[in-house]
Amino acid sequence: MNPSWLSVFPDNIRGLLLKMPTSLFNELEEIRIREGRPLEVNAAGRHYFLTSSGEITRNPILAFKPGKQDGNTLLDLITNHSLYTMEEELRRGFITIAGGHRIGLAGRTVLSSGRVEHLRDISGFNVRIAREVQGIADQVLPQLLDFKQQSVHHTLILSPPQQGKTTLIRDLARQISNGTWGHPEAKWSGLKVAVIDERSEIAGSKRGVPSFDVGARTDVMDGCPKAEGIMMMIRSMSPDVIIVDEIGRSEDAEALAEALHAGVRVIATAHGSNVAEMASRPALAQLFNPPFFQIYTVLNRTEKGLAFRLWDGKGRVIQTHEPGWKGGKEHA
């Protein structure tokens, strides 16, 4: 059975993708379509171009080059033939489709008062394939446990883009919600988890119902700005743990600080290579002085898999895990 995300592609491009070697097709992470330029795919962290016969090549000269009609058809399909209903998504530069697959867009911006009002003349698409990897959090979760409070520590997960952050926190939500702690001394039940899923990537919700397994005691606020979603969930759903992806604005930091005062534990991700880099961002400064997070996890994807290193709030290394467990093959 072909995956559902294939249906957003024009027939000719869909046919080329299906001609790829099965092993690479099953590891697809990104499909990049740029009008008049080579069709590019990313499989398991390796980049290739596709020829007009569906063969892979490293030579862009030999690659198939999608035309304007291909781009128009793709845009029509991903907006469900109703472009005007996607105004907000177009302004943000991406559209998330059922299953949590995110499609990045590139084109010409229309500005109003110096801010992006709209995106038009769209000629570039990056289809990022979301995949569920249950068990990817097995090595991480035991290190996050707070035995005194029978909960988890405030945790910030860092890495550059596309290293596996979203995959990891999806599985953390599932395991925390189900009470699958992975530690012989952790005897308490699963906790109430609130996922703030602004881009519909963590849970991959369709009409409010998650398409990924995020756990038996997890509630999802889908398509909501992070800061607003955090406060809404605290007021309405009384979560024990809040999980949120890609914090970066001052409003996010303020909402997380409010969660701390409400006694809610937080697991968040952010783009960054190290803690010092994050602490230097003015918008997030209040989360580092005094320190909000008790554990920092930095991910590093390698050819052999995903490595990570954990620090405590005082900068001491708790654990280093070298590649040996696979995963993170999706947007992050």
Side-chain angles (χ1 to χ4, degrees):
M1 180 181 294
N2 293 332
S4 61
W5 52 261
L6 266 178
S7 63
V8 305
F9 290 97
D11 291 342
N12 60 333
I13 294 178
R14 188 185 313 133
L16 296 183
L17 293 170
L18 287 171
K19 291 178 181 178
M20 289 181 61
T22 302
S23 58
L24 285 180
F25 180 85
N26 291 336
E27 293 187 308
L28 275 174
E29 301 172 26
E30 293 183 334
I31 299 121
R32 292 180 178 264
I33 296 175
R34 305 176 176 100
E35 184 181 320
R37 287 172 289 167
L39 174 60
E40 183 183 9
V41 298
N42 173 2
R46 300 183 296 275
H47 297 265
Y48 307 94
F49 299 107
L50 281 186
T51 70
S52 56
S53 59
E55 297 176 342
I56 61 171
T57 178
R58 298 282 191 177
N59 187 347
I61 296 176
L62 302 177
F64 171 77
K65 297 178 178 60
K68 185 175 183 60
Q69 185 57 47
D70 293 316
N72 289 343
T73 301
L74 177 57
L75 186 60
D76 195 36
L77 290 170
I78 64 178
T79 59
N80 199 25
H81 312 286
S82 185
L83 192 61
Y84 75 92
T85 64
M86 296 288 187
E87 290 282 343
E88 178 61 24
E89 288 86 349
L90 293 174
R91 186 182 68 81
R92 294 186 299 180
F94 66 86
I95 293 173
T96 305
I97 62 173
H101 312 293
R102 187 166 72 177
I103 303 174
L105 307 169
R108 184 164 68 90
T109 60
V110 177
L111 303 179
S112 176
S113 302
R115 300 185 63 182
V116 175
E117 184 71 21
H118 189 61
L119 187 64
R120 58 181 300 181
D121 298 333
I122 297 170
S123 61
F125 304 83
N126 180 23
V127 181
R128 305 176 73 176
I129 309 302
R131 287 193 174 90
E132 186 174 33
V133 186
Q134 293 193 2
I136 196 172
D138 288 355
Q139 302 295 327
V140 176
L141 181 56
Q143 308 303 320
L144 310 185
L145 300 181
D146 182 341
F147 286 88
K148 183 177 181 180
Q149 298 298 323
Q150 295 192 342
S151 185
V152 292
H153 291 295
H154 295 300
T155 302
L156 180 63
I157 299 168
L158 297 171
S159 81
Q162 205 177 354
Q163 298 293 305
K165 295 189 297 296
T166 304
T167 313
L168 178 59
I169 61 171
R170 181 187 299 122
D171 200 44
L172 283 172
R174 181 183 67 86
Q175 296 198 33
I176 292 170
S177 174
N178 291 341
T180 310
W181 304 113
H183 194 293
E185 297 179 21
K187 305 294 186 181
W188 60 93
S189 301
L191 304 176
K192 292 177 292 181
V193 176
V195 171
I196 316 303
D197 202 359
E198 182 173 357
R199 285 168 295 275
S200 304
E201 295 179 292
I202 303 172
S205 297
K206 185 175 182 180
R207 296 183 179 179
V209 179
S211 59
F212 293 124
D213 183 359
V214 290
R217 305 190 70 201
T218 296
D219 299 297
V220 179
M221 187 66 75
D222 184 54
C224 182
K226 287 181 280 292
E228 293 180 45
I230 290 169
M231 297 310 302
M232 290 171 68
M233 283 298 210
I234 289 174
R235 297 188 191 107
S236 63
M237 303 305 290
S238 64
D240 300 309
V241 180
I242 284 177
I243 291 181
V244 60
D245 209 2
E246 296 183 15
I247 61 170
R249 300 177 302 172
S250 58
E251 302 98 296
D252 302 337
E254 291 169 5
L256 292 182
E258 189 65 29
L260 171 65
H261 297 146
V264 182
R265 300 303 172 99
V266 172
I267 296 178
T269 74
H271 288 317
S273 299
N274 54 65
V275 177
E277 177 185 322
M278 293 298 300
S280 67
R281 297 183 186 177
L284 299 179
Q286 65 175 293
L287 297 178
F288 293 90
N289 188 24
F292 172 89
F293 295 104
Q294 298 161 302
I295 294 181
Y296 301 94
T297 303
V298 179
L299 306 182
N300 178 32
R301 186 174 177 184
T302 72
E303 291 184 359
K304 295 182 179 180
L306 197 61
F308 66 86
R309 178 169 291 185
L310 279 73
W311 284 266
D312 64 16
K314 297 181 180 180
R316 297 173 299 194
V317 175
I318 302 172
Q319 183 186 23
T320 297
H321 189 91
E322 296 301 327
W325 54 297
K326 280 197 168 183
K329 297 179 181 178
E330 67 144 333
H331 41 272

